[in-house]
Amino acid sequence: MAFGFCLGVFILLSVWPSVTCSDLPRGAIETACRDRYLLVTTQLSFAGNEPRFEAVDADGVHPITKQYGSECGYMFSILPLPGHAELRASYFSCHTDNQDDEVFTFSFNLITIDANGVETTYHVNANCSLPLPWSPREFSCEENYMEVSVRGDVSGLPGTKADNWTAALATAHSAAMSTWQVMFQQEGQQLTSMSFSEARELGYVFHLTQGRLVFRSPYTGSVMGSVTMVNGTFVEMVYPILVSRQRWVVIMVNLVVACSTDEGMYDGAGLVWQTPTLLSPLVSELSGLESSKISFGVAGQLLDEPITAERGYSLDISDTTVQISIPFNADGGYRKSFVMDNMYHEFYVVRLYYEQTFMDDSGVETRLRLHRPMNTPLLIQHPSIINQTVLEARVFTVYLGNLSYDVDLVAVKLNGHNFTILEANKSGLVITMVSQPNSNLHAYVLRVPFDSVIHKLYPTEGLLEYSLDINYTLVILPQEEPYYYLASVVAQFNDVFPPVFKGVCNKKSISFQMDHKPFDYLWEVGVGPYLLTPNLAAKRGYIMQNDSQSLILEVPLFSVGYTYKDINLKQFRGTFEILSRVPKTLEVKSSLAKACLFQTTEVIVCSTEGVVTVVTDVTLAVPGAEPNGTFLLDATCRPQETDDTRARFSFGLHTCGTRVQVDHQHVTYENEINIEHTFQSEAPVKTRDTASVVTVRCVYPLSDLYKLFAYWRFEADSPGVGTILTRVPVKIFQPNFPPTTLTTTRRPLTSTTTSNTGLSPGRKMPGIHPRAKYVKVFSWQMNQPKGTT
Ligand SMILES: *[C@@H]1O[C@H](CO)[C@@H](O)[C@H](O)[C@H]1NC(C)=O
Ligand SMILES: *[C@@H]1O[C@H](CO)[C@@H](O)[C@H](O)[C@H]1NC(C)=O
Ligand SMILES: *[C@@H]1O[C@H](CO)[C@@H](O)[C@H](O)[C@H]1NC(C)=O
Ligand SMILES: *[C@@H]1O[C@H](CO)[C@@H](O)[C@H](O)[C@H]1NC(C)=O
Ligand SMILES: *[C@@H]1O[C@H](CO)[C@@H](O)[C@H](O)[C@H]1NC(C)=O
Ligand SMILES: *[C@@H]1O[C@H](CO)[C@@H](O)[C@H](O)[C@H]1NC(C)=O
Ligand SMILES: *[C@@H]1O[C@H](CO)[C@@H](O)[C@H](O)[C@H]1NC(C)=O
Ligand SMILES: *[C@@H]1O[C@H](CO)[C@@H](O)[C@H](O)[C@H]1NC(C)=O
Ligand SMILES: *[C@@H]1O[C@H](CO)[C@@H](O)[C@H](O)[C@H]1NC(C)=O
Ligand SMILES: *[C@@H]1O[C@H](CO)[C@@H](O)[C@H](O)[C@H]1NC(C)=O
């Protein structure tokens, strides 16, 4: 049933705000007819400003204040759920239209005040048809009032001892009037007699409906009330007797009402409430009243036994007391949280509803209904942390549970990095809210991949430890009080070692293999200072194969990264090193320098120490030339080793007449291998001539040679790029050998000499010809200067 509709807008400030009725969300105001009252619930947000109700009837508008509500049968409360409020209006409440005790028509104004102080009024109307027939006598123990109604035709109502009747009768007789009077009995005191209007002044309301007499008393501690201990429970009682004397007939109606005042006790496990099994003031020895049925529930509704059992509620009925226990946190209650000194406190609230039926020996039924909110004291709570990490998944999974509905997670600090929930999701962390089964609690599951924000430690060899320090920022709603909760998790792996490389010598290359292991990502594979990437491999001519099993790298001879040693005409030693290191610190963790012997054909090596070693086939330039007859620019520099076709020279870059040329990027060293020709001229005299036919060149980047200029010491950061340029005769070799017939591919050296190197100035090379037939380049680099090939 029903709803409210928007009535109008009142102005508090000097502005005219506009509130439209369509703003009212569905379910914002709802009504429900319960056994003996109308329930109005609202879920309108009322931050700070409590809403209020007015009862509306033909006489006008009646604000439902605390006191007025307790006198007139209205109970208004703000629930411990944010934005929730409810009003319970008795079917006998003052401003309710009652048709034959069967149909009740209610009309209310609900007034809300928004943050700007603007009031909005909603009109709430509801009709209820009695859901359950009236018992002859009914008690209602509300939070703020006690109400009893008795059927009008009941005579000789139970609950009054004979002598009390006698006393009342005596008082009634002495009263000289024909109208109704009220006499209040109080334990051990004289009867107090007064008119209805005097009683009304004291907060007591009597009224007669079509078929019932109703009495309502504010609760607790009204003037005529008294509190007694009945079988270990305090009971509040008000004992009015209505008297009307008309001539010799005296009519007396006993309207005693009593309710347990027990507010529930927290016993460490839950809330326990009790009431006497027989509320003795309601029970007359004469009438033999007996308790016949007890049921209970929460929030104004009775629950079936299976449900209460499932929720862990318990009901204990003994001869003297009825005891109800509701465990802390059981479904049906609410938790309310607070932060104090960064400690998370909460209490648990449950709104007990209790119904008891009594039967007297003549089968006349009495029903008692009771509403009792109960709460635990403030308890310190610890959210619970469960480490759900599965190592193999390589993700920290941390469960933060036992959070009440009014606690929200807003941010996490992970190893010192702040993330709001939204940022966390963007950063590849996952935070999900989950509800906890069988409770109204919720939890958050945080998933952080090991390799995202985690410290990596290697306390001992082979041990890998991930640790995550979490500082949760929780807020308590609605006041958004922050609260920090800390947790730490670690994950450890054993036998975690850097990659292992295997090297194999091939005829013209070295192959490396690295089998992939799960923790490879902790290290990077490098060649010298460079990171091995497909790009680097492509640039340097390495052949890289990387699949899920292993990484295979084949490094062809003479590609960048090799070092050479022990060069002779037969063989030389080439070494290539591959290594693994920690990406951040570049600390080398493992390496393999694979050295292989390669067969020598021709080679040029420009070492970092400034020594050039070259093995070249001189007969390519001058067929039939004798390698042992070759020399460098400085003719005293002869080959160290020769065979039929090849000569091996090894000389310092600052010796043997080596020329040097410096441009703004490179230092180029150049020497020439001269071949002594002996050929027969027409004359019988053997003529000797020499031709410079092989140019040997080493190019170093200028930046690699800063030590040369700083300390006059040759020490390059990396080997130079060596080139052997062999000028090949264009024409068939002729006896009249003119050097002009030789071709070359390079420009002559024309540049400077430096006095310290003692090199002679560059000279124009004769016979420059663009057609190169044979140029060999033995090594090259990524930053190879343009024009050297
Ligand atoms: C209640 O009943 C009256 C008639 O008895 C009717 O006019 C009114 O519309 C009803 N209101 C609601 C909210 O059902
Ligand atoms: C009823 O009468 C007895 C005996 O006179 C007295 O002790 C008791 O207080 C009376 N009850 C009330 C409620 O006044
Ligand atoms: C319970 O209270 C009633 C009335 O006060 C009394 O008669 C009865 O003996 C009490 N029972 C127990 C077990 O105390
Ligand atoms: C909630 O807290 C209780 C006690 O503090 C504990 O026994 C229970 O295991 C926790 N439940 C969850 C899901 O964390
Ligand atoms: C994290 O957030 C807090 C406040 O929420 C701030 O004080 C702190 O400086 C932040 N830390 C970092 C590393 O951003
Ligand atoms: C985080 O992102 C995933 C998809 O990437 C989404 O399914 C999830 O709902 C998001 N969680 C939050 C709290 O936004
Ligand atoms: C947790 O984070 C909050 C807010 O950034 C900070 O005030 C608090 O000191 C942190 N706690 C610890 C132990 O780091
Ligand atoms: C958390 O779980 C992981 C994986 O099961 C385990 O290695 C670790 O010891 C646990 N405890 C803590 C405090 O992190
Ligand atoms: C090889 O492939 C793996 C993925 O299979 C990748 O993680 C790794 O970085 C690759 N290595 C290189 C050097 O490219
Ligand atoms: C060079 O070697 C050849 C034979 O290999 C020999 O005949 C010749 O005398 C040698 N010349 C010199 C200068 O050593």
Side-chain angles (χ1 to χ4, degrees):
M1 176 125 210
F3 30 58
F5 60 87
C6 194
L7 196 68
V9 175
F10 294 7
I11 314 99
L12 270 195
L13 306 172
S14 59
V15 277
W16 281 91
S18 78
V19 176
T20 58
C21 300
S22 58
D23 291 342
L24 189 61
R26 267 192 96 75
I29 302 174
E30 283 187 340
T31 61
C33 298
R34 296 285 173 80
D35 283 356
R36 294 297 179 255
Y37 62 92
L38 171 78
L39 176 69
V40 183
T41 50
T42 81
Q43 291 185 35
L44 295 168
S45 79
F46 40 84
N49 297 313
E50 293 190 358
R52 52 179 210 272
F53 275 96
E54 291 169 348
V56 182
D57 65 6
D59 298 337
V61 168
H62 313 273
I64 300 173
T65 61
K66 223 172 165 150
Q67 190 194 342
Y68 194 73
S70 68
E71 293 169 5
C72 272
Y74 301 103
M75 173 61 211
F76 174 65
S77 58
I78 306 284
L79 302 189
L81 288 168
H84 285 54
E86 73 172 44
L87 175 76
R88 292 191 293 265
S90 165
Y91 287 164
F92 294 130
S93 50
C94 296
H95 306 289
T96 300
D97 181 59
N98 177 343
Q99 291 168 31
D100 303 326
D101 295 334
E102 288 291 338
V103 176
F104 305 90
T105 305
F106 298 84
S107 184
F108 297 102
N109 291 333
L110 167 62
I111 298 143
T112 60
I113 306 160
D114 73 12
N116 301 321
V118 177
E119 293 194 350
T120 308
T121 301
Y122 303 95
H123 204 120
V124 184
N125 285 326
N127 292 342
C128 292
S129 298
L130 192 69
L132 187 79
W134 294 104
S135 299
R137 183 165 68 154
E138 296 205 355
F139 294 101
S140 176
C141 299
E142 248 298 355
E143 285 178 46
N144 57 342
Y145 62 86
M146 302 190 280
E147 189 182 80
V148 56
S149 79
V150 297
R151 207 157 67 198
D153 63 357
V154 183
S155 55
L157 284 162
T160 310
K161 290 176 192 161
D163 46 359
N164 297 66
W165 270 118
T166 316
L169 206 57
T171 315
H173 272 294
S174 65
M177 76 251 138
S178 61
T179 51
W180 286 96
Q181 283 278 300
V182 192
M183 290 188 293
F184 285 99
Q185 284 196 43
Q186 273 179 296
E187 196 78 20
Q189 284 184 28
Q190 290 278 310
L191 285 163
T192 314
S193 180
M194 63 184 77
S195 68
F196 277 168
S197 55
E198 284 167 328
R200 182 70 187 80
E201 295 270 290
L202 295 176
Y204 301 107
V205 170
F206 296 89
H207 77 111
L208 205 52
T209 70
Q210 204 72 21
R212 296 180 79 85
L213 183 56
V214 180
F215 165 60
R216 191 179 310 107
S217 159
Y219 186 50
T220 59
S222 66
V223 181
M224 294 296 157
S226 55
V227 175
T228 51
M229 174 76 91
V230 178
N231 298 134
T233 310
F234 284 107
V235 171
E236 174 148 343
M237 172 176 69
V238 182
Y239 199 154
I241 300 170
L242 295 193
V243 181
S244 173
R245 197 193 64 168
Q246 279 149 0
R247 304 193 198 181
W248 61 88
V249 181
V250 175
I251 301 169
M252 297 175 79
V253 184
N254 175 11
L255 285 172
V256 64
V257 60
C259 295
S260 161
T261 60
D262 191 48
E263 293 188 325
M265 189 193 71
Y266 179 63
D267 67 357
L271 287 160
V272 181
W273 177 83
Q274 66 177 34
T275 184
T277 310
L278 285 178
L279 268 168
S280 58
L282 310 183
V283 177
S284 156
E285 292 140 5
L286 300 172
S287 57
L289 197 70
E290 279 188 2
S291 169
S292 67
K293 186 162 180 273
I294 289 173
S295 34
F296 73 105
V298 292
Q301 284 191 300
L302 297 174
L303 296 170
D304 295 336
E305 205 274 333
I307 296 178
T308 58
E310 186 192 301
R311 293 184 180 181
Y313 302 171
S314 72
L315 173 64
D316 266 316
I317 306 170
S318 75
D319 288 347
T320 55
T321 44
V322 175
Q323 217 174 54
I324 291 173
S325 311
I326 296 183
F328 179 74
N329 221 358
D331 215 358
Y334 309 95
R335 288 158 49 135
K336 189 79 204 92
S337 313
F338 294 93
V339 177
M340 280 170 9
D341 302 332
N342 200 37
M343 292 287 262
Y344 163 34
H345 295 73
E346 65 179 359
F347 59 81
Y348 174 68
V349 183
V350 63
R351 298 187 301 143
L352 179 70
Y353 184 57
Y354 175 80
E355 190 179 293
Q356 189 174 6
T357 314
F358 305 91
M359 202 68 84
D360 71 10
D361 44 14
S362 52
V364 177
E365 192 180 70
T366 293
R367 239 183 227 262
L368 178 142
R369 296 183 179 85
L370 175 136
H371 295 269
R372 179 56 40 87
M374 303 190 285
N375 58 265
T376 63
L378 217 49
L379 304 167
I380 295 179
Q381 288 303 317
H382 301 286
S384 60
I385 286 282
I386 304 173
N387 173 10
Q388 299 180 328
T389 307
V390 177
L391 287 184
E392 291 69 37
R394 314 182 47 71
V395 173
F396 277 119
T397 306
V398 185
Y399 179 96
L400 172 71
N402 269 353
L403 300 174
S404 168
Y405 71 92
D406 57 356
V407 179
D408 258 8
L409 179 65
V410 294
V412 285
K413 195 188 277 185
L414 302 175
N415 287 347
H417 298 271
N418 285 345
F419 297 97
T420 64
I421 299 294
L422 213 67
E423 288 166 355
N425 216 16
K426 281 187 203 143
S427 310
L429 319 169
V430 180
I431 301 175
T432 31
M433 191 176 91
V434 293
S435 53
Q436 261 175 236
N438 303 328
S439 70
N440 55 8
L441 302 177
H442 67 283
Y444 292 94
V445 180
L446 171 69
R447 289 190 184 82
V448 184
F450 283 170
D451 40 0
S452 56
V453 293
I454 315 302
H455 291 315
K456 297 161 196 168
L457 304 165
Y458 316 101
T460 57
E461 270 319 296
L463 179 68
L464 170 63
E465 185 179 276
Y466 293 98
S467 67
L468 176 62
D469 291 324
I470 314 169
N471 183 343
Y472 290 100
T473 306
L474 300 157
V475 294
I476 311 275
L477 301 170
Q479 62 271 43
E480 305 214 337
E481 261 178 295
Y483 161 64
Y484 305 106
Y485 193 70
L486 303 175
S488 289
V489 280
V490 294
Q492 284 186 342
F493 292 92
N494 295 313
D495 298 326
V496 177
F497 292 102
V500 176
F501 302 105
K502 280 179 292 186
V504 176
C505 298
N506 305 320
K507 200 168 170 208
K508 289 197 163 166
S509 64
I510 301 178
S511 295
F512 293 92
Q513 179 169 355
M514 180 193 109
D515 292 331
H516 288 311
K517 288 189 296 180
F519 292 98
D520 282 352
Y521 68 90
L522 294 173
W523 296 279
E524 62 180 32
V525 178
V527 177
Y530 298 96
L531 176 67
L532 178 62
T533 60
N535 204 16
L536 182 85
K539 266 187 176 162
R540 293 187 168 187
Y542 306 159
I543 299 150
M544 190 166 99
Q545 272 178 297
N546 186 18
D547 60 22
S548 57
Q549 298 294 311
S550 56
L551 172 78
I552 296 171
L553 185 72
E554 189 186 340
V555 188
L557 191 56
F558 301 125
S559 49
V560 181
Y562 268 98
T563 55
Y564 307 96
K565 261 173 67 183
D566 308 338
I567 302 168
N568 60 41
L569 291 180
K570 228 179 114 203
Q571 61 186 24
F572 64 95
R573 193 176 297 278
T575 305
F576 191 88
E577 188 178 36
I578 188 165
L579 43 85
S580 75
R581 60 193 170 207
V582 181
K584 271 185 196 149
T585 62
L586 298 183
E587 187 192 348
V588 173
K589 284 292 175 183
S590 70
S591 66
L592 174 64
K594 181 71 182 171
C596 296
L597 283 174
F598 296 101
Q599 205 187 336
T600 312
T601 50
E602 291 194 291
V603 65
I604 178 166
V605 174
C606 307
S607 81
T608 53
E609 293 83 29
V611 175
V612 55
T613 305
V614 56
V615 174
T616 184
D617 182 347
V618 293
T619 63
L620 290 171
V622 181
E626 280 173 5
N628 59 0
T630 55
F631 52 90
L632 298 177
L633 285 175
D634 178 343
T636 61
C637 294
R638 295 260 161 192
Q640 270 80 27
E641 197 186 354
T642 55
D643 63 10
D644 289 349
T645 54
R646 297 173 305 157
R648 175 170 66 84
F649 289 94
S650 192
F651 56 97
L653 287 172
H654 297 158
T655 63
C656 295
T658 308
R659 295 186 295 253
V660 64
Q661 182 192 12
V662 181
D663 66 19
H664 53 282
Q665 275 186 329
H666 305 97
V667 181
T668 304
Y669 293 92
E670 199 171 78
N671 210 318
E672 285 172 8
I673 298 175
N674 295 293
I675 302 171
E676 209 171 41
H677 296 284
T678 309
F679 52 91
Q680 298 295 130
S681 63
E682 284 114 40
V685 187
K686 268 192 180 175
T687 310
R688 290 177 83 93
D689 193 6
T690 57
S692 162
V693 286
V694 179
T695 304
V696 175
R697 185 192 289 164
C698 282
V699 179
Y700 293 85
L702 200 52
S703 57
D704 274 8
L705 289 180
Y706 64 96
K707 285 180 183 137
L708 177 63
F709 303 102
Y711 316 113
W712 304 125
R713 188 172 82 228
F714 194 99
E715 197 181 318
D717 290 346
S718 52
V721 177
T723 318
I724 301 172
L725 296 161
T726 303
R727 271 169 290 150
V728 178
V730 180
K731 291 182 179 174
I732 297 301
F733 187 73
Q734 287 181 348
N736 189 10
F737 173 66
T740 51
T741 57
L742 298 178
T743 62
T744 186
T745 56
R746 61 151 183 77
R747 291 186 299 117
L749 289 173
T750 53
S751 78
T752 56
T753 53
T754 48
S755 57
N756 68 303
T757 56
L759 298 180
S760 54
R763 58 179 169 83
K764 283 250 184 221
M765 296 293 289
I768 291 171
H769 201 283
R771 280 172 294 159
K773 258 186 115 184
Y774 186 55
V775 174
K776 275 175 296 180
V777 177
F778 282 92
S779 105
W780 55 286
Q781 266 189 329
M782 276 163 63
N783 54 351
Q784 193 170 15
K786 280 206 176 90
T788 51
T789 45

